[in-house]
Amino acid sequence: VRDLCPLKQILHQEGDNTLIFEARFESGNLQKVVKINEFEYQLTLRTDLYTSRHTQWYYFQVSNTQAGMPYRFTIVNFTKRNSLYKRGLRPLLHSEADAKKHNVGWRRTGSEIKYYKNNAGQGGCQYFSLTWTFQFPHDRDTCYFAYCYPYTYSNLQEYLVAISKDPVKSKSCKIHALCHSLAGNIVYLLTITNPPKSVKGTKRKAVILTARVHPGETNSSWIMKGFLDYILGDSGKAQLLRDNFVFKVVPMLNPDGVIVGNHRCSLTGQDLNRKYRSNVKKCYPSIWYTRNMIKRVMGERDVFLYCDIHGHNRKQNVFMYGCERKQQAKAPYVHPHVFPLLLSKSCPDKFSFPDCHFRVRKSKEGTGRVVMWKMGINNSYTLEAS
């Protein structure tokens, strides 16, 4: 693709109002567009690389726009039967003109939004369509559409560079390369704690946080960024946490999938959050090294909490999945309901305890949450955000 000049330079003529689509950029995903009539377009998403599935994440650019005209877009190859688009979710739009003139970023857009089963399908797989009507805000603007607020690998790198250059934050946050991904991208590991005040200091417990194992769940990166902003801030509570805990953070477990615009998989076409029991270091380096890092930490100190951050595309609210034994330990603080219950008490408008579940299903036995729990971390969770 790099050596070919984009088609728009050849095909596009003055006075032609056809929209120009592009998705060959970081995290972009769009495979094909068919113009149905002057203001109606049918879009097909690219599946995750080396799979025939997982069409959910979309992120593409549109230029040569006309303001105020009622455009209709229909994405025709979703594979999920149900969607939050049936419950009020709307696509995201970013206008370069609005960003420049009015400092307006991503915003929800669209009316007449419908998500429905269509007549298409492939290899026994049923397809679903998402359709919406909207108006571009400006003539000859360049706009972007996305499934959720994008957060690219480059965004993460810029954020980490800013931390490393900050004289205060860099004292309590050390940034290491945990390993390299299959495509040679660095998987970062952050160690966050205040320097000990005395040589003797009591042994701090560890908290382990990971995110973005599924590339299309970009909200997990925004939650991780919110956590890092907070824990590296100068509030009294952040100081207290850094005095009492060592935080081990892997902010992006699947950088390759993020870069190529996958929704769920790595470059091997595999769901990395089912590979925590695997010993194949070569195929799943970020998972192998994360599990080993956690084993090493467990040998040095108590691990108080493990949490892997995700996005959920069918359920509302923020909630947790935990693990529960039939005979629960006597100590109350290791009961898996306690931490989510405290979260719901401290932010009831954001976190929903009734949506939490604590079952361990057979299909989830290779997930980070279950494997870490079986390794001996009682407070082991997946955090899900709508």
Side-chain angles (χ1 to χ4, degrees):
V1 168
R2 251 184 235 129
D3 302 332
L4 299 172
C5 57
L7 287 175
K8 64 184 179 193
Q9 294 172 1
I10 307 158
L11 294 181
H12 201 259
Q13 286 138 16
E14 205 54 51
D16 183 355
N17 290 324
T18 301
L19 293 176
I20 301 165
F21 291 82
E22 180 59 83
R24 290 170 294 185
F25 48 79
E26 189 178 9
S27 296
N29 181 342
L30 184 65
Q31 186 180 59
K32 174 174 91 169
V33 182
V34 178
K35 184 176 181 180
I36 305 295
N37 58 45
E38 195 181 359
F39 297 111
E40 187 173 355
Y41 293 82
Q42 182 179 295
L43 290 71
T44 305
L45 302 180
R46 178 182 55 69
T47 60
D48 279 14
L49 290 189
Y50 313 116
T51 78
S52 58
R53 305 180 317 144
H54 309 302
T55 44
Q56 193 83 27
W57 169 254
Y58 58 88
Y59 180 25
F60 56 88
Q61 181 197 81
V62 183
S63 53
N64 200 36
T65 62
Q66 289 183 69
M69 305 310 288
Y71 285 91
R72 188 162 195 84
F73 282 3
T74 305
I75 298 173
V76 295
N77 66 329
F78 284 107
T79 49
K80 289 249 165 89
R81 181 169 300 281
N82 219 333
S83 170
L84 285 170
Y85 286 117
K86 288 182 173 179
R87 301 172 69 178
L89 182 67
R90 300 196 295 161
L92 279 161
L93 169 76
H94 183 284
S95 153
E96 284 189 357
D98 275 350
K100 215 179 203 165
K101 287 180 194 161
H102 310 297
N103 213 16
V104 172
W106 288 95
R107 61 183 189 269
R108 297 278 172 195
T109 190
S111 58
E112 299 171 44
I113 295 168
K114 290 184 179 59
Y115 188 90
Y116 57 92
K117 186 163 124 179
N118 62 34
N119 296 325
Q122 208 177 349
C125 174
Q126 174 67 56
Y127 283 153
F128 297 82
S129 291
L130 167 70
T131 185
W132 73 97
T133 304
F134 65 97
Q135 297 178 356
F136 287 109
H138 304 282
D139 279 329
R140 305 283 175 264
D141 191 6
T142 297
C143 292
Y144 296 83
F145 283 92
Y147 168 71
C148 190
Y149 301 92
Y151 192 100
T152 62
Y153 184 61
S154 297
N155 292 146
L156 174 68
Q157 288 179 306
E158 285 162 15
Y159 184 77
L160 295 181
V161 165
I163 289 173
S164 66
K165 287 182 172 170
D166 186 302
V168 179
K169 288 178 180 174
S170 58
K171 276 201 181 81
S172 49
C173 179
K174 300 294 172 234
I175 301 167
H176 314 275
L178 177 67
C179 63
H180 285 81
S181 69
L182 290 181
N185 296 300
I186 296 172
V187 178
Y188 293 98
L189 170 67
L190 281 51
T191 302
I192 301 167
T193 192
N194 279 342
K197 291 191 172 74
S198 68
V199 184
K200 266 191 170 167
T202 56
K203 208 158 215 193
R204 297 172 183 181
K205 290 186 178 184
V207 171
I208 294 159
L209 299 177
T210 59
R212 208 65 186 280
V213 72
H214 296 143
E217 297 170 11
T218 56
N219 45 355
S220 72
S221 281
W222 290 105
I223 291 170
M224 179 60 87
K225 181 189 179 301
F227 164 75
L228 292 171
D229 287 347
Y230 179 82
I231 202 70
L232 294 171
D234 52 9
S235 72
K237 284 179 182 173
Q239 294 276 8
L240 193 63
L241 286 165
R242 295 197 305 266
D243 283 341
N244 286 285
F245 291 97
V246 175
F247 293 89
K248 293 281 187 181
V249 178
V250 184
M252 195 174 280
L253 282 163
N254 188 355
D256 298 352
V258 169
I259 289 164
V260 300
N262 278 1
H263 178 67
R264 194 166 181 87
C265 295
S266 69
L267 285 194
T268 55
Q270 298 290 323
D271 180 346
L272 292 181
N273 197 35
R274 298 293 182 276
K275 299 298 174 189
Y276 278 90
R277 289 186 298 183
S278 168
N279 285 318
V280 189
K281 175 161 83 169
K282 200 167 74 178
C283 292
Y284 321 116
S286 64
I287 299 304
W288 193 91
Y289 279 96
T290 297
R291 189 186 62 197
N292 263 31
M293 175 271 291
I294 293 170
K295 277 183 181 162
R296 203 167 56 246
V297 172
M298 288 174 79
E300 294 166 3
R301 57 184 80 242
D302 278 351
V303 175
F304 174 69
L305 176 85
Y306 162 88
C307 186
D308 187 27
I309 306 171
H310 287 249
H312 206 290
N313 51 50
R314 296 194 304 283
K315 285 179 74 171
Q316 291 170 312
N317 300 320
V318 182
F319 52 93
M320 276 178 156
Y321 295 134
C323 306
E324 194 163 35
R325 283 193 174 85
K326 287 193 174 71
Q327 300 318 122
Q328 204 58 48
K330 295 281 190 289
Y333 66 88
V334 294
H335 195 288
H337 290 221
V338 171
F339 186 76
L341 188 65
L342 290 173
L343 261 184
S344 72
K345 297 253 190 264
S346 60
C347 45
D349 57 327
K350 294 184 179 66
F351 188 90
S352 167
F353 188 73
D355 284 305
C356 297
H357 291 289
F358 301 90
R359 293 191 305 276
V360 177
R361 288 204 181 121
K362 198 158 182 56
S363 64
K364 301 288 166 71
E365 288 194 340
T367 62
R369 158 178 68 104
V370 176
V371 170
M372 299 313 152
W373 176 65
K374 286 186 171 170
M375 274 165 49
I377 301 172
N378 280 306
N379 291 319
S380 183
Y381 302 101
T382 302
L383 178 79
E384 294 276 2
S386 167

